[in-house]
Amino acid sequence: MAATRTFSIIKPDATRRNLTGAVTKMLEEAGLRVVASKRIRMSRQQAEGFYAVHKERPFFEDLVAFMISGPVVVQVLEGEDAVARNRKVMGATNPANADEGTIRKAYAESIEANSVHGSDSEENAATEIAFFFKPDEIVG
Ligand code: IDP
Ligand code: MG
């Protein structure tokens, strides 16, 4: 199977606790390669745009406030079946339901401050990658 790409964010709860390397190590050990990475402070406009699919959800305002509360690390990950591979190593949205060996089981603080984002489909991965990266910033 050919390598594919997905989009990841190391969220503010993880950057605050200096877990960028620890999270990235788990991604790499799961067979994913970081082919683009930058540490940014998201603007409110970016966070609202990125999470627009959730704007009717009751937690939307809190989620946006959380995502702009500190730096994040946006990454493009490459690997075999990258979207599913990343979702597997991330673990369930709510860390209380996350399997052993997953990033959220190891590091998430709560259902909101759950350390990582990962695209949920190939189509959304392409959209999310283009939201934060120019093609020449991705080096496979
Ligand atoms: P996912 O990140 O596992 O794909 P989504 O349902 O897409 O989960 O939700 C996006 C993000 O919104 C979650 O990662 C989490 O930070 C936050 N979130 C999801 N559900 C809740 C909730 O019930 N309360 C508070 N925050 C939530
Ligand atoms: Mg999601």
Side-chain angles (χ1 to χ4, degrees):
M1 198 188 196
T4 57
R5 288 177 175 173
T6 191
F7 176 74
S8 168
I9 305 176
I10 303 176
K11 294 186 179 182
D13 66 287
T15 62
R16 178 170 45 77
R17 288 175 288 151
N18 205 22
L19 293 171
T20 297
V23 169
T24 302
K25 183 167 193 278
M26 290 183 76
L27 296 170
E28 290 176 341
E29 284 174 352
L32 294 160
R33 177 179 296 267
V34 179
V35 296
S37 183
K38 56 188 172 190
R39 183 175 170 104
I40 61 167
R41 186 74 179 250
M42 262 195 223
S43 66
R44 175 171 291 278
Q45 195 182 3
Q46 272 179 312
E48 287 176 351
F50 183 75
Y51 279 122
V53 294
H54 294 309
K55 66 176 181 293
E56 305 305 329
R57 311 268 292 267
F59 56 80
F60 178 73
E61 287 301 329
D62 280 352
L63 176 60
V64 168
F66 166 61
M67 292 300 288
I68 66 175
S69 69
V72 300
V73 179
V74 291
Q75 296 181 318
V76 181
L77 307 176
E78 193 172 84
E80 208 171 283
D81 205 6
V83 169
R85 190 177 285 267
N86 184 42
R87 293 297 307 195
K88 188 167 181 221
V89 72
M90 286 166 61
T93 307
N94 185 346
N97 302 327
D99 290 339
E100 286 296 337
T102 65
I103 294 167
R104 284 167 165 171
K105 177 71 176 186
Y107 297 123
E109 295 182 320
S110 68
I111 191 170
E112 177 180 84
N114 59 5
S115 302
V116 279
H117 166 85
S119 310
D120 61 7
S121 69
E122 297 262 341
E123 191 189 351
N124 286 339
T127 305
E128 292 175 0
I129 289 168
F131 196 91
F132 287 102
F133 290 98
K134 300 193 190 88
D136 70 0
E137 293 178 309
I138 305 167
V139 182

